[in-house]
Amino acid sequence: DVKVTQSSRYLVKRTGEKVFLECVQDMDHENMFWYRQDPGLGLRLIYFSYDVKMKEKGDIPEGYSVSREKKERFSLILESASTNQTSMYLCASSPPGTGRDTIYFGEGSWLTVV
Amino acid sequence: KQEVTQIPAALSVPEGENLVLNCSFTDSAIYNLQWFRQDPGKGLTSLLLIQSSQREQTSGRLNASLDKSSGRSTLYIAASQPGDSATYLCAAANDYKLSFGAGTTVTVRA
């Protein structure tokens, strides 16, 4: 069964802390994504990776970075967490190509920055 | 930039009624249109994917239509059940990128 796993479901961090959100997929997918979801705003793309060590900025990359050292793992990094980064973060993966196949999501990571 | 809109934001119906959920998008040059379901506090589960060359897609009680020229998709859920209560999101794919609507939250009353 297809699986995208986000290891941390609920986190509370302090302003200024460095935060790592980890995502692992077991489907050998080339594409991986990080979204954030806020009430009334839907999902917004933060970063996208189409191969190991490759990344592209999405719509809202400011304040975030990513790392993809292995095909199955895609990490989102908040260099210095701020309260406006309190949100639900969703990782996803999909096969290669240009969006012709279903995308699979993890269960989400709820981050609260205090 | 692709803009995706879902109206209404919320919907409440009695059990057994058919549901009609609307999705509109501004850029018709899409590869596909996808519908997802999201339960509270959970991730998204794909329901249906309609390729740009298709007019509709069906799975069980779910049917989704696509009209690219008018920038619209509709999700129909027949004979709704309380278990259908969830938020339904549509997403339009342009190249690798999915643009999401904010969703329609459905409550089916027993």
Side-chain angles (χ1 to χ4, degrees):
Chain A
D1 202 16
V2 159
K3 202 137 179 144
V4 178
T5 302
Q6 295 182 232
S7 52
S8 301
R9 291 295 323 275
Y10 303 95
L11 305 94
V12 179
K13 297 291 182 180
R14 295 192 182 279
T15 301
E17 272 193 77
K18 192 168 186 175
V19 181
F20 294 86
L21 299 180
E22 306 286 344
C23 175
V24 177
Q25 51 99 357
D26 65 358
M27 295 162 284
D28 203 36
H29 284 164
E30 276 75 7
N31 298 335
M32 294 189 76
F33 307 82
W34 275 106
Y35 290 88
R36 67 177 278 177
Q37 185 177 25
D38 300 286
L41 295 178
L43 274 76
R44 292 179 290 166
L45 182 63
I46 305 171
Y47 268 98
F48 159 62
S49 169
Y50 55 89
D51 202 350
V52 175
K53 297 192 188 294
M54 307 303 289
K55 62 187 179 186
E56 284 196 18
K57 293 180 181 179
D59 296 321
I60 51 164
E62 297 78 19
Y64 303 95
S65 62
V66 290
S67 171
R68 191 161 180 208
E69 297 296 319
K70 294 185 178 182
K71 190 176 185 181
E72 68 271 17
R73 188 181 296 269
F74 191 35
S75 302
L76 179 70
I77 303 155
L78 286 66
E79 298 290 343
S80 177
S82 63
T83 54
N84 63 12
Q85 292 178 309
T86 292
S87 186
M88 178 163 176
Y89 291 87
L90 288 160
C91 175
S93 73
S94 71
T98 51
R100 294 185 185 277
D101 294 284
T102 298
I103 186 171
Y104 297 90
F105 281 86
E107 291 279 275
S109 297
W110 287 94
L111 172 67
T112 301
V113 182
V114 297
Chain B
K1 186 190 171 201
Q2 179 72 274
E3 303 283 345
V4 180
T5 304
Q6 292 184 250
I7 294 172
L11 191 57
S12 178
V13 298
E15 183 176 3
E17 194 163 299
N18 295 333
L19 284 163
V20 180
L21 306 180
N22 297 304
C23 172
S24 61
F25 48 94
T26 55
D27 182 356
S28 62
I30 61 171
Y31 283 104
N32 63 53
L33 190 293
Q34 299 183 43
W35 283 92
F36 296 87
R37 171 184 170 135
Q38 186 176 32
D39 293 298
K42 303 280 192 177
L44 279 67
T45 301
S46 179
L47 295 174
L48 289 168
L49 183 154
I50 314 173
Q51 299 290 1
S52 61
S53 57
Q54 297 175 313
R55 298 281 294 182
E56 66 177 345
Q57 193 67 248
T58 298
S59 176
R61 294 185 294 112
L62 276 59
N63 173 274
S65 66
L66 175 64
D67 183 343
K68 268 181 54 176
S69 60
S70 66
R72 281 192 248 184
S73 177
T74 303
L75 177 67
Y76 302 91
I77 304 177
S80 61
Q81 304 167 359
D84 294 328
S85 297
T87 298
Y88 294 83
L89 296 96
C90 67
N94 297 86
D95 196 8
Y96 67 86
K97 188 177 170 184
L98 283 176
S99 298
F100 286 83
T104 296
T105 299
V106 170
T107 303
V108 180
R109 309 186 303 271

